[in-house]
Amino acid sequence: MDYTKQIQEIATRLFAEDKIDVFVGYRLTGFDDNQVPALIRESKDVPLLVFNQKSVFNLSNYLKNDHTRNKRVGLVVKGCDSRSLNLLLTESQVKREKLYVVGIACEGVVDDAGQKMQNCLECMVPAAVVYDELLGEANMERRFIINADIQDMAAKELVQRREYFEEVFENCIRCNACRHSCPLCYCAKCCIDQETATLYNGANTTSSAFHALMTWSLHLAGRCVDCRNCEKACPSHLPLHLFHKWNERVIYENFQEHLAGVHEGDRGAFYKYSMQDPDDFIM
Amino acid sequence: METVTNQLVSIEKPEIVAPPDWQPVIIGILCNWCSYAGSDLTGTSRLQYPPNIRIIRVPCSSRVDTWFLIKSLQTTADGVLVSGCHPGDCHYISGNYFARRRFLVTKKLLNFVGFHENRIQFSWVSAAEGPKFAKVVSKVTEDIKKLGPLHLYKKENFEK
Ligand code: SF4
Ligand code: SF4
Ligand code: SF4
Ligand code: SF4
Protein backbone atom coordinates (compact mmCIF):
# COMPACT_ATOMS: atom_id res chain seq x y z
CA MET A 1 0.00 0.00 0.00
CA ASP A 2 2.01 2.96 -1.27
CA TYR A 3 0.07 5.89 -2.68
CA THR A 4 2.85 8.49 -2.37
CA LYS A 5 2.96 9.24 -6.09
CA GLN A 6 -0.79 9.53 -6.54
CA ILE A 7 -1.18 11.80 -3.52
CA GLN A 8 1.63 14.07 -4.68
CA GLU A 9 -0.02 14.32 -8.09
CA ILE A 10 -3.39 15.15 -6.59
CA ALA A 11 -1.91 17.79 -4.29
CA THR A 12 0.03 19.40 -7.13
CA ARG A 13 -3.11 19.48 -9.24
CA LEU A 14 -5.22 21.01 -6.45
CA PHE A 15 -2.67 23.74 -5.81
CA ALA A 16 -2.35 24.44 -9.55
CA GLU A 17 -6.12 24.75 -9.91
CA ASP A 18 -6.23 26.88 -6.75
CA LYS A 19 -8.80 24.62 -5.14
CA ILE A 20 -7.20 24.41 -1.70
CA ASP A 21 -5.25 26.60 0.74
CA VAL A 22 -3.66 23.79 2.69
CA PHE A 23 -3.14 20.08 2.14
CA VAL A 24 -3.05 17.78 5.16
CA GLY A 25 -1.03 14.64 4.61
CA TYR A 26 1.91 12.70 6.01
CA ARG A 27 5.65 13.27 5.76
CA LEU A 28 8.66 11.44 7.12
CA THR A 29 10.00 12.51 10.50
CA GLY A 30 13.46 12.87 9.01
CA PHE A 31 15.07 10.51 11.51
CA ASP A 32 13.57 7.17 10.63
CA ASP A 33 10.78 5.70 8.54
CA ASN A 34 8.07 6.89 10.94
CA GLN A 35 5.73 9.59 9.77
CA VAL A 36 4.18 12.74 11.17
CA PRO A 37 1.26 14.80 9.90
CA ALA A 38 2.22 17.53 7.45
CA LEU A 39 0.36 20.73 6.62
CA ILE A 40 1.45 21.71 3.12
CA ARG A 41 0.67 25.28 2.04
CA GLU A 42 2.66 25.67 -1.18
CA SER A 43 3.12 23.42 -4.16
CA LYS A 44 6.90 23.48 -3.73
CA ASP A 45 6.51 21.46 -0.52
CA VAL A 46 4.36 18.78 -2.14
CA PRO A 47 7.30 16.35 -2.68
CA LEU A 48 7.45 15.96 1.12
CA LEU A 49 4.16 14.06 1.10
CA VAL A 50 4.22 10.30 1.54
CA PHE A 51 1.67 7.59 2.14
CA ASN A 52 2.30 3.97 3.02
CA GLN A 53 1.61 1.45 5.77
CA LYS A 54 3.42 3.73 8.25
CA SER A 55 0.80 6.48 7.84
CA VAL A 56 -0.89 5.77 11.13
CA PHE A 57 -2.40 9.03 12.36
CA ASN A 58 -5.99 10.06 11.85
CA LEU A 59 -5.72 13.34 9.97
CA SER A 60 -9.30 14.44 10.53
CA ASN A 61 -7.99 15.53 13.94
CA TYR A 62 -6.21 18.39 12.13
CA LEU A 63 -9.43 19.94 10.86
CA LYS A 64 -10.07 21.66 14.16
CA ASN A 65 -7.02 23.88 14.52
CA ASP A 66 -6.40 27.42 13.34
CA HIS A 67 -4.35 26.35 10.34
CA THR A 68 -7.28 24.59 8.76
CA ARG A 69 -10.43 26.10 10.21
CA ASN A 70 -12.34 28.15 7.62
CA LYS A 71 -9.73 27.30 4.98
CA ARG A 72 -10.11 25.16 1.91
CA VAL A 73 -8.44 21.93 2.87
CA GLY A 74 -7.21 18.87 1.01
CA LEU A 75 -7.16 15.83 3.24
CA VAL A 76 -6.07 12.20 3.11
CA VAL A 77 -8.35 9.75 4.94
CA LYS A 78 -8.21 6.02 5.48
CA GLY A 79 -11.34 4.05 6.29
CA CYS A 80 -11.45 4.76 10.01
CA ASP A 81 -10.47 8.40 9.47
CA SER A 82 -13.28 8.86 7.00
CA ARG A 83 -15.78 7.66 9.59
CA SER A 84 -14.65 10.31 12.05
CA LEU A 85 -14.76 12.85 9.23
CA ASN A 86 -18.31 11.73 8.55
CA LEU A 87 -19.23 12.40 12.18
CA LEU A 88 -17.54 15.80 12.12
CA LEU A 89 -19.63 16.65 9.06
CA THR A 90 -22.82 15.43 10.72
CA GLU A 91 -22.03 17.35 13.87
CA SER A 92 -21.47 20.55 11.82
CA GLN A 93 -17.82 20.91 12.76
CA VAL A 94 -16.52 21.12 9.20
CA LYS A 95 -18.09 22.12 5.90
CA ARG A 96 -18.04 19.55 3.14
CA GLU A 97 -17.71 22.13 0.36
CA LYS A 98 -14.46 23.41 1.89
CA LEU A 99 -12.88 19.97 1.81
CA TYR A 100 -11.26 17.97 -0.91
CA VAL A 101 -11.05 14.45 0.44
CA VAL A 102 -8.65 11.85 -0.90
CA GLY A 103 -10.03 8.54 0.32
CA ILE A 104 -7.86 5.46 0.69
CA ALA A 105 -9.01 1.86 0.48
CA CYS A 106 -6.81 0.88 3.37
CA GLU A 107 -4.94 -2.37 3.75
CA GLY A 108 -3.91 -1.67 7.33
CA VAL A 109 -1.11 0.23 9.02
CA VAL A 110 1.73 -1.06 11.18
CA ASP A 111 3.05 -0.06 14.59
CA ASP A 112 6.65 0.78 15.51
CA ALA A 113 7.61 -2.88 15.61
CA GLY A 114 6.31 -3.42 12.07
CA GLN A 115 3.35 -5.52 13.23
CA LYS A 116 -0.06 -4.82 11.79
CA MET A 117 -2.07 -2.88 14.36
CA GLN A 118 -4.82 -4.67 16.22
CA ASN A 119 -7.55 -2.32 15.00
CA CYS A 120 -6.49 -2.99 11.42
CA LEU A 121 -6.69 -6.74 11.90
CA GLU A 122 -10.25 -6.19 13.11
CA CYS A 123 -11.04 -3.35 10.74
CA MET A 124 -14.73 -3.09 9.92
CA VAL A 125 -14.68 -0.40 7.26
CA PRO A 126 -11.30 -0.37 5.51
CA ALA A 127 -12.33 1.67 2.46
CA ALA A 128 -13.07 5.36 2.96
CA VAL A 129 -16.78 6.19 3.11
CA VAL A 130 -16.45 9.93 2.33
CA TYR A 131 -14.23 10.99 -0.55
CA ASP A 132 -13.91 13.05 -3.69
CA GLU A 133 -11.38 10.65 -5.10
CA LEU A 134 -10.66 7.11 -3.96
CA LEU A 135 -7.32 5.38 -4.26
CA GLY A 136 -7.65 1.61 -4.31
CA GLU A 137 -10.52 -0.84 -4.46
CA ALA A 138 -13.85 0.59 -3.21
CA ASN A 139 -15.56 -2.70 -2.39
CA MET A 140 -13.27 -3.96 0.31
CA GLU A 141 -14.59 -6.62 2.61
CA ARG A 142 -16.15 -5.38 5.87
CA ARG A 143 -15.84 -7.70 8.85
CA PHE A 144 -16.79 -7.60 12.45
CA ILE A 145 -14.44 -9.50 14.69
CA ILE A 146 -15.08 -9.14 18.41
CA ASN A 147 -12.04 -7.59 20.04
CA ALA A 148 -10.10 -10.35 21.81
CA ASP A 149 -8.97 -8.06 24.65
CA ILE A 150 -12.46 -7.19 25.78
CA GLN A 151 -13.47 -10.82 25.51
CA ASP A 152 -10.61 -11.82 27.81
CA MET A 153 -11.45 -9.03 30.19
CA ALA A 154 -15.17 -9.85 30.24
CA ALA A 155 -14.38 -13.44 31.13
CA LYS A 156 -12.57 -12.34 34.29
CA GLU A 157 -14.22 -11.88 37.64
CA LEU A 158 -15.20 -8.49 39.00
CA VAL A 159 -12.34 -8.35 41.49
CA GLN A 160 -9.75 -9.14 38.84
CA ARG A 161 -11.16 -6.54 36.49
CA ARG A 162 -11.14 -4.02 39.28
CA GLU A 163 -7.50 -4.70 40.11
CA TYR A 164 -6.54 -4.42 36.46
CA PHE A 165 -8.29 -1.11 35.93
CA GLU A 166 -7.09 0.33 39.21
CA GLU A 167 -3.59 -0.02 37.83
CA VAL A 168 -4.66 1.59 34.56
CA PHE A 169 -6.09 4.64 36.33
CA GLU A 170 -3.09 4.78 38.63
CA ASN A 171 -0.72 5.01 35.67
CA CYS A 172 -2.57 7.81 33.95
CA ILE A 173 -0.67 11.07 34.39
CA ARG A 174 -3.65 13.21 33.33
CA CYS A 175 -1.82 14.83 30.47
CA ASN A 176 -5.02 14.85 28.35
CA ALA A 177 -3.09 13.81 25.26
CA CYS A 178 -5.76 11.20 24.59
CA ARG A 179 -8.42 13.87 24.41
CA HIS A 180 -6.34 16.24 22.30
CA SER A 181 -5.48 13.56 19.79
CA CYS A 182 -9.06 12.42 19.35
CA PRO A 183 -10.70 13.95 16.27
CA LEU A 184 -14.11 13.75 17.92
CA CYS A 185 -13.13 15.70 21.04
CA TYR A 186 -13.46 19.26 19.83
CA CYS A 187 -15.27 21.02 22.72
CA ALA A 188 -13.88 24.46 23.46
CA LYS A 189 -14.58 23.94 27.15
CA CYS A 190 -14.16 20.33 28.13
CA CYS A 191 -15.75 19.06 31.30
CA ILE A 192 -12.86 16.78 32.25
CA ASP A 193 -10.71 19.87 32.71
CA GLN A 194 -12.57 20.41 35.92
CA GLU A 195 -10.16 17.99 37.53
CA THR A 196 -7.05 18.67 35.55
CA ALA A 197 -4.01 18.86 37.76
CA THR A 198 -2.66 22.31 38.45
CA LEU A 199 0.20 23.29 40.67
CA TYR A 200 -2.18 23.85 43.57
CA ASN A 201 -5.09 21.46 43.53
CA GLY A 202 -3.14 18.21 43.49
CA ALA A 203 -5.78 16.67 41.30
CA ASN A 204 -3.42 14.29 39.55
CA THR A 205 -4.79 11.27 41.32
CA THR A 206 -6.19 7.88 40.54
CA SER A 207 -9.56 9.31 41.41
CA SER A 208 -9.33 12.15 38.93
CA ALA A 209 -8.03 9.79 36.26
CA PHE A 210 -11.01 7.55 36.86
CA HIS A 211 -13.32 10.53 36.54
CA ALA A 212 -11.64 11.83 33.41
CA LEU A 213 -11.24 8.58 31.51
CA MET A 214 -14.74 7.37 32.29
CA THR A 215 -16.32 10.68 31.29
CA TRP A 216 -14.18 10.90 28.20
CA SER A 217 -14.90 7.37 27.03
CA LEU A 218 -18.62 7.85 27.61
CA HIS A 219 -18.52 11.01 25.48
CA LEU A 220 -16.97 8.88 22.76
CA ALA A 221 -19.39 5.99 23.20
CA GLY A 222 -21.29 5.46 19.98
CA ARG A 223 -18.97 7.89 18.19
CA CYS A 224 -15.50 6.41 18.55
CA VAL A 225 -14.29 5.00 15.25
CA ASP A 226 -11.41 2.93 16.62
CA CYS A 227 -8.62 4.86 14.90
CA ARG A 228 -6.51 4.57 18.08
CA ASN A 229 -5.05 8.05 17.79
CA CYS A 230 -5.62 8.31 21.54
CA GLU A 231 -3.71 5.16 22.33
CA LYS A 232 -0.79 6.15 20.12
CA ALA A 233 -0.63 9.51 21.89
CA CYS A 234 -0.77 8.17 25.44
CA PRO A 235 2.67 8.52 27.05
CA SER A 236 1.83 5.84 29.61
CA HIS A 237 0.78 3.35 26.90
CA LEU A 238 -2.53 2.71 28.61
CA PRO A 239 -4.94 0.27 26.92
CA LEU A 240 -7.53 2.92 26.15
CA HIS A 241 -9.10 0.79 23.43
CA LEU A 242 -10.54 -1.46 26.14
CA PHE A 243 -13.04 1.26 27.11
CA HIS A 244 -13.89 2.18 23.56
CA LYS A 245 -14.17 -1.33 22.20
CA TRP A 246 -16.29 -2.32 25.17
CA ASN A 247 -18.69 0.58 24.65
CA GLU A 248 -18.75 -0.06 20.94
CA ARG A 249 -19.65 -3.69 21.54
CA VAL A 250 -22.35 -2.86 24.12
CA ILE A 251 -23.88 -0.42 21.66
CA TYR A 252 -23.57 -2.79 18.72
CA GLU A 253 -25.27 -5.62 20.59
CA ASN A 254 -28.04 -3.58 22.15
CA PHE A 255 -28.85 -0.73 19.81
CA GLN A 256 -29.60 -2.22 16.40
CA GLU A 257 -25.98 -2.85 15.39
CA HIS A 258 -25.06 0.82 15.45
CA LEU A 259 -21.62 1.57 14.03
CA ALA A 260 -20.32 5.11 14.30
CA GLY A 261 -19.93 7.23 11.21
CA VAL A 262 -20.46 4.59 8.55
CA HIS A 263 -23.52 6.17 6.98
CA GLU A 264 -23.74 9.76 5.91
CA GLY A 265 -25.89 11.81 8.28
CA ASP A 266 -25.95 9.08 10.95
CA ARG A 267 -25.43 10.56 14.40
CA GLY A 268 -23.81 9.02 17.46
CA ALA A 269 -25.75 6.30 19.27
CA PHE A 270 -26.79 8.63 22.11
CA TYR A 271 -28.46 11.13 19.77
CA LYS A 272 -31.21 8.77 18.70
CA TYR A 273 -33.34 6.04 20.24
CA SER A 274 -35.52 3.13 19.40
CA MET A 275 -38.53 1.49 21.02
CA GLN A 276 -36.63 -1.79 20.90
CA ASP A 277 -33.85 -0.62 23.21
CA PRO A 278 -33.40 -2.98 26.17
CA ASP A 279 -35.44 -2.13 29.22
CA ASP A 280 -34.84 -5.18 31.40
CA PHE A 281 -32.09 -3.61 33.50
CA ILE A 282 -34.52 -0.96 34.77
CA MET A 283 -36.72 -1.75 37.78
CA MET B 1 -25.50 -12.57 17.37
CA GLU B 2 -22.68 -13.61 19.67
CA THR B 3 -22.87 -11.54 22.84
CA VAL B 4 -19.98 -10.78 25.11
CA THR B 5 -21.33 -7.82 26.98
CA ASN B 6 -24.13 -9.63 28.76
CA GLN B 7 -21.97 -12.18 30.52
CA LEU B 8 -20.00 -10.14 33.01
CA VAL B 9 -19.33 -12.06 36.20
CA SER B 10 -20.26 -9.87 39.15
CA ILE B 11 -19.35 -11.64 42.37
CA GLU B 12 -18.05 -9.15 44.85
CA LYS B 13 -15.93 -9.78 47.88
CA PRO B 14 -16.51 -6.92 50.35
CA GLU B 15 -13.73 -4.40 49.82
CA ILE B 16 -13.47 -3.17 53.36
CA VAL B 17 -15.21 -4.34 56.51
CA ALA B 18 -18.07 -2.01 57.32
CA PRO B 19 -18.11 -0.40 60.77
CA PRO B 20 -21.07 -1.73 62.82
CA ASP B 21 -23.02 1.53 62.66
CA TRP B 22 -22.36 2.06 58.96
CA GLN B 23 -25.24 3.23 56.81
CA PRO B 24 -24.94 3.51 53.03
CA VAL B 25 -25.33 6.81 51.23
CA ILE B 26 -27.43 6.53 48.10
CA ILE B 27 -27.78 9.40 45.68
CA GLY B 28 -31.24 9.34 44.15
CA ILE B 29 -31.65 11.41 41.01
CA LEU B 30 -35.34 11.75 40.23
CA CYS B 31 -37.17 13.36 37.37
CA ASN B 32 -39.43 16.23 38.27
CA TRP B 33 -42.61 15.03 36.55
CA CYS B 34 -42.94 11.38 37.57
CA SER B 35 -40.49 9.99 40.07
CA TYR B 36 -40.16 13.08 42.24
CA ALA B 37 -43.94 13.37 42.38
CA GLY B 38 -44.01 9.64 43.12
CA SER B 39 -41.63 10.07 46.05
CA ASP B 40 -43.81 12.95 47.24
CA LEU B 41 -46.78 10.63 47.18
CA THR B 42 -44.83 8.06 49.19
CA GLY B 43 -44.34 10.72 51.83
CA THR B 44 -47.89 12.02 51.85
CA SER B 45 -49.24 8.47 52.04
CA ARG B 46 -46.95 7.94 55.08
CA LEU B 47 -45.20 4.94 53.61
CA GLN B 48 -41.87 4.06 55.21
CA TYR B 49 -38.68 3.80 53.20
CA PRO B 50 -35.02 3.82 54.26
CA PRO B 51 -33.61 7.30 54.93
CA ASN B 52 -30.33 6.45 53.19
CA ILE B 53 -31.38 8.07 49.96
CA ARG B 54 -30.41 11.68 49.22
CA ILE B 55 -32.76 12.97 46.59
CA ILE B 56 -31.79 15.35 43.80
CA ARG B 57 -34.54 16.65 41.56
CA VAL B 58 -33.81 17.11 37.86
CA PRO B 59 -36.18 18.26 35.10
CA CYS B 60 -36.07 14.98 33.18
CA SER B 61 -34.23 11.67 33.34
CA SER B 62 -32.39 12.66 30.17
CA ARG B 63 -30.94 15.57 32.12
CA VAL B 64 -28.94 12.96 34.01
CA ASP B 65 -25.53 13.23 32.45
CA THR B 66 -23.38 10.12 32.76
CA TRP B 67 -21.04 12.49 34.52
CA PHE B 68 -23.48 12.81 37.47
CA LEU B 69 -23.17 9.09 38.12
CA ILE B 70 -19.39 9.13 37.90
CA LYS B 71 -19.16 12.17 40.15
CA SER B 72 -21.50 10.64 42.72
CA LEU B 73 -19.50 7.43 42.92
CA GLN B 74 -16.27 9.39 43.09
CA THR B 75 -17.40 11.56 46.00
CA THR B 76 -19.94 10.50 48.64
CA ALA B 77 -22.15 7.80 47.22
CA ASP B 78 -22.05 4.07 47.92
CA GLY B 79 -24.65 3.65 45.23
CA VAL B 80 -26.75 5.64 42.78
CA LEU B 81 -30.40 5.34 41.85
CA VAL B 82 -31.79 7.16 38.85
CA SER B 83 -35.50 7.19 38.32
CA GLY B 84 -37.70 8.64 35.60
CA CYS B 85 -41.06 8.31 33.89
CA HIS B 86 -42.16 5.05 32.32
CA PRO B 87 -41.50 4.74 28.58
CA GLY B 88 -44.23 6.63 26.78
CA ASP B 89 -44.96 8.88 29.77
CA CYS B 90 -42.12 11.36 29.41
CA HIS B 91 -43.25 14.96 29.89
CA TYR B 92 -40.91 15.92 27.07
CA ILE B 93 -42.10 13.00 24.92
CA SER B 94 -38.81 11.19 24.31
CA GLY B 95 -36.38 12.22 27.06
CA ASN B 96 -36.39 8.89 28.82
CA TYR B 97 -35.68 6.97 25.62
CA PHE B 98 -32.45 8.91 25.20
CA ALA B 99 -31.67 8.45 28.88
CA ARG B 100 -32.22 4.70 28.68
CA ARG B 101 -29.44 4.29 26.14
CA ARG B 102 -26.95 6.27 28.20
CA PHE B 103 -27.86 4.39 31.37
CA LEU B 104 -27.25 1.00 29.83
CA VAL B 105 -23.85 1.96 28.46
CA THR B 106 -22.79 3.70 31.69
CA LYS B 107 -23.85 0.78 33.82
CA LYS B 108 -22.04 -1.71 31.63
CA LEU B 109 -18.88 0.37 31.49
CA LEU B 110 -18.72 0.92 35.23
CA ASN B 111 -19.37 -2.76 35.77
CA PHE B 112 -16.60 -3.52 33.29
CA VAL B 113 -14.04 -1.46 35.19
CA GLY B 114 -14.93 -3.02 38.53
CA PHE B 115 -18.10 -1.64 40.09
CA HIS B 116 -20.72 -4.16 41.09
CA GLU B 117 -23.75 -3.80 38.86
CA ASN B 118 -26.02 -3.16 41.85
CA ARG B 119 -24.21 0.06 42.68
CA ILE B 120 -25.80 1.81 39.74
CA GLN B 121 -29.52 1.18 39.49
CA PHE B 122 -32.38 2.55 37.47
CA SER B 123 -36.12 2.51 37.81
CA TRP B 124 -39.25 3.85 36.19
CA VAL B 125 -41.62 5.27 38.82
CA SER B 126 -44.71 7.23 37.82
CA ALA B 127 -46.38 9.98 39.86
CA ALA B 128 -49.03 7.50 41.00
CA GLU B 129 -46.59 4.82 42.18
CA GLY B 130 -45.84 5.83 45.76
CA PRO B 131 -45.65 2.22 47.03
CA LYS B 132 -43.36 1.25 44.14
CA PHE B 133 -40.98 4.05 45.04
CA ALA B 134 -40.77 2.83 48.65
CA LYS B 135 -40.10 -0.69 47.38
CA VAL B 136 -37.41 0.44 44.96
CA VAL B 137 -35.57 2.44 47.60
CA SER B 138 -35.74 -0.46 50.06
CA LYS B 139 -34.38 -2.84 47.47
CA VAL B 140 -31.52 -0.56 46.45
CA THR B 141 -30.60 0.06 50.09
CA GLU B 142 -30.63 -3.69 50.80
CA ASP B 143 -28.43 -4.37 47.77
CA ILE B 144 -25.90 -1.74 48.74
CA LYS B 145 -25.82 -2.83 52.37
CA LYS B 146 -24.85 -6.29 51.15
CA LEU B 147 -22.03 -4.85 49.08
CA GLY B 148 -20.62 -2.71 51.87
CA PRO B 149 -19.01 0.73 51.69
CA LEU B 150 -17.57 1.85 48.38
CA HIS B 151 -13.99 3.00 48.62
CA LEU B 152 -12.88 2.60 45.04
CA TYR B 153 -11.56 5.83 43.49
CA LYS B 154 -13.00 7.96 46.28
CA LYS B 155 -11.63 11.46 46.09
CA GLU B 156 -10.84 11.77 49.77
CA ASN B 157 -8.62 8.67 49.67
CA PHE B 158 -6.20 10.54 47.47
CA GLU B 159 -6.39 14.16 48.52
CA LYS B 160 -4.38 14.29 51.67
S1 SF4 C 1 -8.50 0.61 11.17
FE1 SF4 C 1 -8.97 0.01 9.05
S2 SF4 C 1 -9.06 1.93 7.92
FE2 SF4 C 1 -8.06 2.38 9.86
S3 SF4 C 1 -5.89 2.20 9.44
FE3 SF4 C 1 -6.55 0.19 10.15
S4 SF4 C 1 -7.12 -0.97 8.31
FE4 SF4 C 1 -6.95 1.20 7.75
S1 SF4 D 1 -11.40 7.78 21.17
FE1 SF4 D 1 -9.43 7.18 20.29
S2 SF4 D 1 -9.91 5.50 18.87
FE2 SF4 D 1 -11.83 6.57 19.34
S3 SF4 D 1 -12.07 8.10 17.72
FE3 SF4 D 1 -11.03 9.12 19.42
S4 SF4 D 1 -8.85 8.88 18.99
FE4 SF4 D 1 -9.94 7.42 17.68
S1 SF4 E 1 -14.09 14.66 26.70
FE1 SF4 E 1 -16.19 15.24 26.28
S2 SF4 E 1 -16.33 17.43 26.84
FE2 SF4 E 1 -14.15 16.91 26.60
S3 SF4 E 1 -13.64 17.44 24.49
FE3 SF4 E 1 -14.19 15.25 24.53
S4 SF4 E 1 -16.37 15.19 24.03
FE4 SF4 E 1 -15.87 17.31 24.63
S1 SF4 F 1 -2.97 10.22 27.27
FE1 SF4 F 1 -2.76 8.51 28.70
S2 SF4 F 1 -1.70 9.37 30.49
FE2 SF4 F 1 -2.48 11.11 29.28
S3 SF4 F 1 -4.48 11.57 30.18
FE3 SF4 F 1 -4.84 10.15 28.48
S4 SF4 F 1 -4.84 8.11 29.43
FE4 SF4 F 1 -3.90 9.52 30.89
Side-chain angles (χ1 to χ4, degrees):
Chain A
M1 187 174 65
D2 191 333
Y3 293 114
T4 306
K5 231 171 116 234
Q6 287 95 321
I7 287 173
Q8 287 182 359
E9 275 166 20
I10 293 168
T12 313
R13 195 186 74 224
L14 292 174
F15 278 117
E17 293 171 3
D18 192 26
K19 276 203 181 140
I20 53 168
D21 301 318
V22 52
F23 191 90
V24 186
Y26 304 88
R27 68 171 173 81
L28 292 171
T29 54
F31 316 115
D32 46 24
D33 64 343
N34 287 336
Q35 294 175 14
V36 285
L39 273 69
I40 306 283
R41 293 190 189 77
E42 291 167 280
S43 49
K44 76 170 172 40
D45 292 333
V46 166
L48 287 175
L49 288 170
V50 287
F51 186 93
N52 56 33
Q53 73 278 9
K54 279 279 195 180
S55 305
V56 286
F57 294 103
N58 180 345
L59 296 182
S60 64
N61 191 29
Y62 294 87
L63 293 176
K64 59 188 187 186
N65 64 25
D66 292 344
H67 303 295
T68 49
R69 190 168 289 160
N70 300 325
K71 301 242 172 72
R72 295 169 304 161
V73 183
L75 179 73
V76 182
V77 291
K78 304 183 289 309
C80 49
D81 315 353
S82 76
R83 289 168 64 199
S84 59
L85 177 60
N86 216 346
L87 280 161
L88 288 174
L89 290 166
T90 314
E91 294 169 5
S92 307
Q93 294 304 311
V94 286
K95 290 205 180 72
R96 184 69 181 89
E97 59 272 17
K98 293 218 176 211
L99 293 179
Y100 189 91
V101 185
V102 183
I104 308 273
C106 178
E107 287 154 26
V109 293
V110 297
D111 59 14
D112 289 347
Q115 298 291 320
K116 210 167 183 188
M117 302 225 339
Q118 191 197 36
N119 56 334
C120 299
L121 294 170
E122 297 169 354
C123 182
M124 290 169 270
V125 188
V129 288
V130 199
Y131 54 83
D132 292 300
E133 197 163 331
L134 188 75
L135 304 177
E137 177 61 48
N139 300 318
M140 285 180 85
E141 180 203 0
R142 292 185 178 183
R143 37 181 187 233
F144 200 99
I145 304 166
I146 304 175
N147 183 288
D149 296 347
I150 64 160
Q151 264 177 311
D152 287 352
M153 197 48 77
K156 288 186 184 164
E157 275 180 30
L158 187 74
V159 184
Q160 290 169 309
R161 292 203 302 274
R162 172 184 303 156
E163 274 162 11
Y164 180 84
F165 282 108
E166 242 173 329
E167 203 177 308
V168 169
F169 295 127
E170 218 171 279
N171 285 330
C172 169
I173 58 170
R174 294 289 281 109
C175 62
N176 289 341
C178 46
R179 181 193 68 195
H180 282 295
S181 59
C182 176
L184 298 168
C185 266
Y186 46 71
C187 310
K189 282 255 184 287
C190 166
C191 75
I192 69 175
D193 280 341
Q194 193 215 25
E195 288 200 16
T196 290
T198 68
L199 200 49
Y200 313 110
N201 67 4
N204 183 12
T205 62
T206 310
S207 177
S208 87
F210 160 74
H211 159 267
L213 290 181
M214 286 296 96
T215 308
W216 172 69
S217 51
L218 283 165
H219 288 191
L220 272 313
R223 295 166 72 229
C224 171
V225 298
D226 199 25
C227 63
R228 309 233 178 152
N229 251 20
C230 47
E231 214 170 80
K232 285 169 230 156
C234 178
S236 308
H237 303 294
L238 298 182
L240 300 174
H241 71 277
L242 282 176
F243 304 131
H244 299 304
K245 289 308 271 185
W246 175 257
N247 284 339
E248 183 184 66
R249 191 65 203 172
V250 170
I251 287 167
Y252 185 81
E253 280 177 11
N254 291 294
F255 306 147
Q256 298 85 44
E257 313 198 349
H258 170 93
L259 280 182
V262 176
H263 306 290
E264 208 177 319
D266 192 12
R267 311 196 67 187
F270 289 167
Y271 302 92
K272 49 187 185 179
Y273 63 88
S274 152
M275 298 298 164
Q276 276 86 50
D277 290 344
D279 207 57
D280 49 352
F281 68 101
I282 302 178
M283 276 186 276
Chain B
M1 183 172 27
E2 195 187 339
T3 68
V4 266
T5 63
N6 292 327
Q7 305 158 352
L8 287 181
V9 194
S10 266
I11 315 157
E12 178 162 83
K13 300 185 193 116
E15 298 157 24
I16 41 177
V17 184
D21 56 348
W22 173 75
Q23 286 291 333
V25 176
I26 295 159
I27 306 283
I29 310 178
L30 312 184
C31 101
N32 181 34
W33 301 99
C34 295
S35 296
Y36 192 83
S39 74
D40 240 7
L41 183 67
T42 322
T44 47
S45 350
R46 295 173 181 278
L47 294 167
Q48 290 290 324
Y49 62 85
N52 303 71
I53 190 163
R54 315 283 193 272
I55 291 174
I56 298 169
R57 174 160 68 160
V58 291
C60 174
S61 46
S62 71
R63 174 65 188 90
V64 183
D65 199 318
T66 53
W67 196 53
F68 294 2
L69 311 178
I70 293 162
K71 275 302 233 187
S72 309
L73 293 173
Q74 191 204 5
T75 50
T76 46
D78 298 305
V80 199
L81 168 70
V82 185
S83 188
C85 310
H86 284 275
D89 287 355
C90 178
H91 186 76
Y92 307 101
I93 298 160
S94 54
N96 51 3
Y97 294 128
F98 288 104
R100 185 164 66 179
R101 286 200 156 190
R102 288 205 294 273
F103 293 163
L104 178 71
V105 177
T106 313
K107 189 179 168 117
K108 292 263 187 205
L109 180 65
L110 289 173
N111 192 353
F112 186 61
V113 302
F115 288 84
H116 194 279
E117 55 183 348
N118 284 350
R119 294 216 187 257
I120 310 110
Q121 303 213 34
F122 305 98
S123 67
W124 302 134
V125 172
S126 82
E129 292 178 325
K132 179 172 176 188
F133 183 77
K135 235 186 270 163
V136 165
V137 177
S138 310
K139 180 181 176 295
V140 174
T141 312
E142 273 313 301
D143 285 349
I144 307 246
K145 273 188 179 157
K146 261 184 236 148
L147 295 175
L150 180 67
H151 79 141
L152 209 57
Y153 310 128
K154 283 284 185 229
K155 237 175 157 174
E156 71 258 19
N157 295 351
F158 299 97
E159 290 176 0
K160 281 279 147 47

